[in-house]
Amino acid sequence: RGADLDVNRYGERYNLTVAVFDMGSPQRIGNCLVAITVIDVNNQRPYFDTLIRRETIPENPTINQPLPISPQYTAKDPDTTANCSTASST
């Protein structure tokens, strides 16, 4: 929690050394190297260029049809490797 694992800024590979100490006498120590690969799925929030916009729509729009808004609102996604780079409202 709270880790910034942005692949675009820090890369996709991390190495973590894990060390274990027992309570014996003499104390024994073991360690290993763990290689971690982060998959960049979508770690940046999309945003809208225009936060507030006033629209007028008909009083009785057709059900299950897109609202007649032109131009449509377009969200931008700063992830370069995200599944979708833009999304439009309907």
Side-chain angles (χ1 to χ4, degrees), residues 61-77:
T62 305
I63 296 175
N64 295 326
Q65 294 297 315
L67 294 174
I69 297 173
S70 180
Q72 291 190 342
Y73 292 91
T74 301
K76 296 192 177 175
D77 190 342

Side-chain angles (χ1 to χ4, degrees), residues 4-14 36-44 79-81:
D4 187 354
L5 302 176
D6 188 347
V7 173
N8 298 327
R9 288 175 30 200
Y10 302 111
E12 64 181 19
R13 293 195 47 94
Y14 294 84
I36 301 169
T37 302
V38 176
I39 299 172
D40 185 16
V41 176
N42 195 353
N43 60 355
Q44 301 292 322
D79 279 310
T80 57
T81 57

Side-chain angles (χ1 to χ4, degrees), residues 1-86:
R1 181 178 290 192
D4 187 354
L5 302 176
D6 188 347
V7 173
N8 298 327
R9 288 175 30 200
Y10 302 111
E12 64 181 19
R13 293 195 47 94
Y14 294 84
N15 292 321
L16 174 68
T17 301
V18 177
V20 179
F21 304 86
D22 72 7
M23 300 297 286
S25 180
Q27 187 177 44
R28 294 188 176 157
I29 301 169
N31 60 36
C32 69
L33 181 64
V34 178
I36 301 169
T37 302
V38 176
I39 299 172
D40 185 16
V41 176
N42 195 353
N43 60 355
Q44 301 292 322
R45 292 182 179 182
Y47 64 91
F48 290 97
D49 282 334
T50 305
L51 297 178
I52 299 173
R53 193 169 111 184
R54 184 179 298 263
E55 297 290 340
T56 302
I57 60 171
E59 184 177 349
N60 298 318
T62 305
I63 296 175
N64 295 326
Q65 294 297 315
L67 294 174
I69 297 173
S70 180
Q72 291 190 342
Y73 292 91
T74 301
K76 296 192 177 175
D77 190 342
D79 279 310
T80 57
T81 57
N83 294 332
C84 299
S85 60
T86 61

